Structure formats: C-alpha cells, structure tokens
Amino acid sequence: MELQGKRVLITGASRGIGESLARAFAGAGARVALVARGGDSLQSLAAELGGTAYPADLADAAQVAGLIQRIEDDGGPIDVLINNAGIGSTSSFIDAPDDELRRVTELNYLTPVELCRQVIPGMLRRGGGHIVNMSSIAGIMALPGLATYSASKAALSHFTAGLRADVRGWPIGTTLVELGPIPTDLLAESDNYEPTAKSFKRVYRLGLTVDTPRERVARQVVKAVRKGRRHVRLPRRSIPLAMLVEAPRRGAELSLTGVPHQPRR
C-alpha cells in the first residue's frame, strides 16, 4: 500500500510504541488519527504531526461503540487501522485487583476486535484497507505473573489468524505484530512482581530475547503495511518460537486452499 495521503488510525498513540508509530507513519506521508486517554500529550503530538486527536478510554465499551464512524465523519475514511493500545497485568493472578481481568481483556482483546468489526465494511466499500494488530511474544511464552496479559495477547494473535481467513479474497490486508521486550513503561511493570522479574532475567540470560527499540518496531510496521506482509516478529530470535505456534494455523490455511470463499455483498 502506498502510504502517501492515506489516513492511519493508531490507538494508544500518546506515548511509547504508539507515539513512535505515529511519527513513523506521518514521516511516510500518511495522515494520522490518534486515539488515547491522555488528552494534552495526545493533542500536542497530533498538532506536531499535522494529524487529529480523539481522546477516549478504549477499556470503556460505551466509548468504543461507534468510534470508527465518529472519526471518519470528522476527518475522512480510515485506510489503515493499527490496534496498538494495551495495558499490562503483572501480579499473582489470584491477588490481582477485582476488575483487572475484565479491563485487560477489554482493552487488549475485545476493543481491537470491535474496531476491526467497525472498520472493515468501509474498507470494503472503498475497495481496500489494512489492519495491524499489535500482539506479543507473551502470547506464546507463559511467564509467572503474566497469566491475564498473556492470555489476552494469545487471543488477539489467534483472532488475527481467523480474521485473515475471513477476509481471504477481499482487498484487505492484515499484519500481526508479535513483540518481545520493548523498553517502555509497560515493560518496567515487570519489576513489580518478583517471579516475573526473575523470569525475565532468566530469559535474557539464556539469550532467548533482547530488548528492541520502539523506533525499530515502528519502521518495521510501516514496511509491513507498505509491502502487505502478514507478520512482524521482533526480536528476530523469537521467530522460531512464533513459527511453531503459527504452524497449525498455517497448516489449516493450506488445507483449505481452493475452498470457495463467499464474498461480502
């Protein structure tokens, strides 16, 4: 997809990976629409990049309802949706706050799925679009203290595979981004629970993962949208693990080659 002049919606855009994604897509000539809870920082970034800002709490289903339509009514069609917003959950599962399971699942899984549901009809009417779901290697590797977070990311990864099957033959691309540790506030939360912190130290020591700068993530996502790539996996040493999990999905996809796919009318 040529990004010049395209409108790219990025959730969780006020800081961290989302901010880097916003800068990278704006630098590629796209018009960015930014969603996050943070009002001031979000507005400042949008103004700097010549984009538009839409403050919203994406863990609130009432604010998510109709969000795509409101954004498109305000600034035009969305050509690329990047579901980046997410929150962590680092603690013993049974000691987590009462509402944490619901909030993490809502923001990390249900909201991205709902935004996909909202954006696809318009993409189909216009004859094209691309969806990027930002997931995590935590959806593959289960570490202590990350049960809720890992489950939400595993669900998002598997949903993206199912979505790809549903839109097969339609002019809509999908990219699943599976990330290891990125130096952000979310990663820093792992130090809050000793079993998680010790697990990360072990994984680093064994060489199973390394930190990846968020700017590199953003560059690779831009490249994936441009080239229509199905996956971005960082760090690269995590690729074999991701491919092991992907193998049954890919096998099912190949086994269904030639099965008629009913286009949306």
Side-chain angles (χ1 to χ4, degrees), residues 119-121 123-124 127-131 163-164 167-174:
V119 83
I120 286 174
M123 289 180 172
L124 283 173
H130 199 99
I131 293 171
L163 177 64
R164 186 184 306 122
V167 303
R168 182 169 56 88
W170 298 355
I172 296 174
T174 64

Side-chain angles (χ1 to χ4, degrees), residues 118-142:
Q118 291 181 26
V119 83
I120 286 174
M123 289 180 172
L124 283 173
R125 287 193 301 271
R126 294 186 294 273
H130 199 99
I131 293 171
V132 178
N133 286 332
M134 304 291 291
S135 191
S136 172
I137 298 300
I140 298 171
M141 297 178 63

Side-chain angles (χ1 to χ4, degrees), residues 5-256:
K6 293 295 194 296
R7 195 165 190 231
V8 180
L9 171 60
I10 304 167
T11 67
S14 62
R15 60 180 182 170
I17 297 172
E19 178 186 351
S20 294
L21 287 167
R23 294 186 184 280
F25 276 95
R31 299 182 298 123
V32 293
L34 310 180
V35 176
R37 284 189 302 166
D40 292 342
S41 58
L42 187 69
Q43 296 286 354
S44 296
L45 181 62
E48 177 187 344
L49 300 179
T52 48
Y54 302 93
D57 181 358
L58 295 180
D60 181 351
Q63 295 187 48
V64 173
L67 179 62
I68 295 295
Q69 188 64 57
R70 293 194 297 274
I71 293 173
E72 292 193 328
D73 287 346
D74 179 68
I78 295 166
D79 300 294
V80 181
L81 167 64
I82 303 182
N83 283 310
N84 170 71
I87 53 175
S89 174
T90 307
S91 67
S92 167
F93 176 71
I94 62 172
D95 294 329
D98 291 345
D99 66 341
E100 187 161 293
L101 176 60
R102 181 204 61 80
R103 185 169 178 82
V104 171
T105 305
E106 190 83 39
L107 184 56
N108 291 2
Y109 173 60
L110 294 178
T111 290
V113 170
E114 171 60 19
L115 293 180
C116 289
R117 189 191 68 81
Q118 291 181 26
V119 83
I120 286 174
M123 289 180 172
L124 283 173
R125 287 193 301 271
R126 294 186 294 273
H130 199 99
I131 293 171
V132 178
N133 286 332
M134 304 291 291
S135 191
S136 172
I137 298 300
I140 298 171
M141 297 178 63
L143 301 181
L146 298 180
T148 296
Y149 176 78
S150 294
S152 69
K153 290 300 186 179
L156 182 61
S157 295
H158 200 64
F159 163 77
T160 307
L163 177 64
R164 186 184 306 122
D166 268 12
V167 303
R168 182 169 56 88
W170 298 355
I172 296 174
T174 64
T175 300
L176 174 65
V177 183
E178 294 171 290
L179 301 175
I182 313 295
T184 62
D185 293 342
L186 187 63
L187 178 61
E189 291 179 10
S190 65
D191 291 334
N192 296 339
Y193 184 57
E194 186 177 4
T196 306
K198 288 184 175 179
S199 296
F200 266 99
K201 290 178 181 177
R202 175 72 62 83
V203 170
Y204 281 125
R205 189 165 64 249
L206 292 174
L208 297 176
T209 194
V210 292
D211 289 351
T212 302
R214 56 192 175 102
E215 293 80 9
R216 184 184 178 201
V217 173
R219 290 194 300 269
Q220 292 299 314
V221 173
V222 168
K223 184 182 295 186
V225 174
R226 276 178 165 159
K227 295 182 177 295
R229 292 177 178 169
R230 293 156 50 123
H231 297 281
V232 172
R233 290 159 173 153
L234 296 169
R236 292 184 61 82
R237 66 185 66 187
S238 69
I239 291 176
L241 288 175
M243 290 181 68
L244 283 172
V245 174
E246 180 70 13
R249 300 170 185 154
R250 183 61 173 157
E253 183 178 343
L254 291 172
S255 70
L256 296 175

